[in-house]
Amino acid sequence: MPTPRTTAQRTALLDVIGARRGAFSALDLFDAVRERAPRLGLATVYRTLDRLEQDGVLRRLGGSAGSADRFVVCDPSHHHHHLICTGCGSVEETELCAAPPEGELKRRHGFVATSHQADVYGLCRSCAA
Amino acid sequence: MPTPRTTAQRTALLDVIGARRGAFSALDLFDAVRERAPRLGLATVYRTLDRLEQDGVLRRLGGSAGSADRFVVCDPSHHHHHLICTGCGSVEETELCAAPPEGELKRRHGFVATSHQADVYGLCRSCAA
DNA sequence: ATAACTGCAAACGGTTTGCAAGTCT
DNA sequence: AGACTTGCAAACCGTTTGCAGTTAT
């Protein structure tokens, strides 16, 4: 895994991603970055997103097949979950953990948990009004 | 929403689904049912799965785009979560639930939770050995 | 009779890939 | 120079849809 190179496309992508607050799809990103880099190809967006996901910078929120994957900027250094607003699609993080405790899972089910995905759906502050 | 009709295809599908223990994809189901109903179309499988999901009989475990959705037989009458084995693909249910208390979410994030989805990945009892 | 269901094939949307050309180091 | 990156277009995969024919009620 080589060190990423500093290309115009990569810079533009990182720039736009850094300015995002909520979740976005590859196409969202494509459209946004294209305004400043019209020749950007969609494939490059996907390749960059994959890489950022591997690096732990982004987290992929997989939806059902047929709908596009979405990504959120994600600090992997602390454990957190996502609050996904069904009204406006925004995503925020919370430190409150929504997963069954590992010890209890082991005891009652013999199940050794390695990771969990606990996303909470509902309405964010603005949409709740 | 009309009452479903009793057709040969539907019967065969329900039959195979009922005998399943773990999670399965539409294609898994298609292959299995085809052995007894060779003329079955894949579209019918999808249409039936959609319907069963709406009826709460199945739950769809969405993967990332590009990979197929999988389904599990699901009793919607009681709250539960899934323990998904990354070794053998089996899925079991647990009643253990540690969802963040709604009051806390409301207070700290202004977020009104309506539902949550907490799937835990890891190794089941047999695979852990 | 008629509303629902089916198979087929074609369309679809999102994502990935092969490749020749271009670019960072 | 040489490895990496890019754009483009075509391929890919799972899923959905239009439609004409069939079937349960």
Side-chain angles (χ1 to χ4, degrees), chain B residues 91-104:
Chain B
V91 177
E92 57 184 310
E93 297 186 357
T94 180
E95 287 147 28
L96 296 172
C97 177
E102 299 193 2
E104 193 69 16

Side-chain angles (χ1 to χ4, degrees), chain B residues 5-6 26 42-43 46-47 50 68-69:
Chain B
R5 291 186 178 173
T6 307
L42 188 47
Y46 280 108
R47 286 189 272 236
D50 283 349
D69 278 356

